[in-house]
Amino acid sequence: MARGDYDEEEEQQQHPSLSHHNLTGTVWTAVAHIITAVIGSGVLSLAWSIAQVGWIAGPVSLLLFGFFTLVSAYFICDIHLYFDPKNGNTIMNQSYLQAVHTVLGYKRGLACGCLFYFSIFKTGVVYTITSAISMRAIRRSNCYHKEGHDAACEFENKYYMLMFGIIQTVASQIPNIFHTKWLSIIAAIMSFTYSFIGIGLGLAQVIGNGKIEGNIYGISTTNPTQKVWLVGQAIGDIAFSFNFSLILLEIQSTLKSPPSQKVTMKKASTIAIFTSTIFYLCCGASGYAAFGDLTPGNLLTGFGFYEPYWLVDFGNACIVLHLVGGYQVYSQTLFAIVERWYAEKFPESAFAKDTRSMKASSLLPEFRLNPLRLCFRTTYVILTMSVGMLFPYFNEVLAFAGSIIFWPLTIYFPVEMHFVQRKVVPWSGKWIILRIYTIICLLVTIFTLVGSIEGLIAKRFGK
């Protein structure tokens, strides 16, 4: 057996320090974490995305991106334990960034680090924008219910972004991802709930219309150039919807063994991505079938979903609860990296070591505050909120966020690590297939990036 094909359980027996018998994660907690990360704000834009590209290209794009994500997930799972031929040691990669540094070296690790930090930050920005839109939608639906659909029920997003920021400032004091299991389970339930609501409202609208809207070419426009940019944005939105590779190794590190963490994580990834893709197809298809050319950019906050207002309110409340958890699942990865670096750089610093306990009520658990955690995480939340206020454009920001990081982090680095891990011979059949796969994904990503930038400029400067 090639050294790159070693068995994880065998390695853990030979290296007791690699065992995690004190961990409690299972395939279902991993599925909850993944669904919390994957079924996020992206699901709300999928009806709009399908509307831009039509009934054939839309569902096919969803299936392809789901497949790409699953392939990358399998590659990343394999790299959790990596045998370093230079020193003969087995290294446990507990984060995506550590894996790239370990397997591909310093230079590519540095490039990955820049993209990695940007990706987590942009996810926080997108979740802030989406939560604000959903909170505003609750107020709008109640306003329309009381005042009628002709009432001037327009409210600014920034106040709701501020509310979300306050919530995240408190939630960000959770010490690490090991303490977010309950938050992920709640968030995963919320994601299923509002997805079902979106599907149900879409189907109800189809039944009410008595026909299925839309066509195989998508929304028609008299401007062919604009159509091209909108297709690019739509594919970027779909790419954003399948984005969890960055936190896969952190989730894998929470799993108990036996069975091996790799086996459990591959099973969890398969279940979660298959489930997410089915939900995406249902949400996107039902929304486009309901509204056709009038499909809104955000399924639960756009045209037509003001009645029944209580169901709209509940669906948007589920979105907010889900994104509170999703924000933490992503951000905790960045928090851990920065705080670990600071602790290693300044081991004697009281700023990192001092911890104070607070108890606001006998009914609430004890709350432990650390100066470094409080200052850094609060600053991070303020930054994501500020950028969200500057660019509050849902579909365009989603497309930009999805396109700029999908290829390097979901395609390129996992494939390159797989080449090293499995010692794939250059110009072999497998090497050629994966190279073609990488190049095709790169071309698609460039197209979506150009389309999303055009959309952001047009929205920001009113062109």
Side-chain angles (χ1 to χ4, degrees), residues 168-180 327-328 331-332 334-340 342-343 349-358 366-382:
Q168 288 301 339
T169 299
V170 176
S172 292
Q173 300 311 307
I174 296 172
N176 52 53
I177 196 170
F178 294 94
H179 293 81
T180 63
Y327 187 106
Q328 285 304 310
S331 300
Q332 286 290 341
L334 178 60
F335 297 160
I337 291 172
V338 173
E339 290 165 10
R340 190 184 307 124
Y342 186 92
S349 173
F351 190 64
K353 300 173 84 173
D354 186 28
T355 302
R356 298 181 182 275
S357 299
M358 295 181 62
E366 186 177 69
F367 203 70
R368 298 173 68 83
L369 287 177
N370 171 270
L372 173 62
R373 186 189 307 157
L374 179 63
C375 294
F376 169 67
R377 299 186 183 191
T378 301
T379 302
Y380 175 84
V381 171
I382 292 172

Side-chain angles (χ1 to χ4, degrees), residues 3-65:
R3 193 68 188 97
D5 297 326
Y6 59 82
D7 181 77
E8 186 173 339
E9 289 184 356
E10 178 184 338
E11 286 290 348
Q12 290 180 342
Q13 291 171 4
Q14 295 175 3
H15 303 273
S17 61
L18 298 178
S19 298
H20 290 275
H21 298 294
N22 59 325
L23 300 178
T24 59
T26 65
V27 63
W28 297 113
T29 61
V31 168
H33 278 308
I34 296 171
I35 289 178
T36 300
V38 176
I39 304 184
S41 54
V43 70
L44 303 172
S45 69
L46 292 178
W48 180 88
S49 298
I50 291 179
Q52 306 310 312
V53 297
W55 274 121
I56 296 177
V60 169
S61 297
L62 281 169
L63 292 172
L64 282 175
F65 275 94

Side-chain angles (χ1 to χ4, degrees), residues 32 98 155 273 276 308 336 356 381 390 412 427:
Q98 180 190 358
F155 310 99
I273 293 173
S276 301
R356 298 181 182 275
V381 171
L390 186 62
Y412 175 74
W427 301 107

Side-chain angles (χ1 to χ4, degrees), residues 65-95:
F65 275 94
F67 173 74
F68 296 160
T69 304
L70 185 60
V71 169
S72 295
Y74 272 49
F75 288 169
I76 296 170
C77 288
D78 287 338
I79 214 72
H80 186 231
L81 289 181
Y82 171 68
F83 178 77
D84 188 352
K86 293 181 181 179
N87 55 30
N89 292 333
T90 297
I91 299 172
M92 175 171 286
N93 293 305
Q94 295 184 305
S95 72

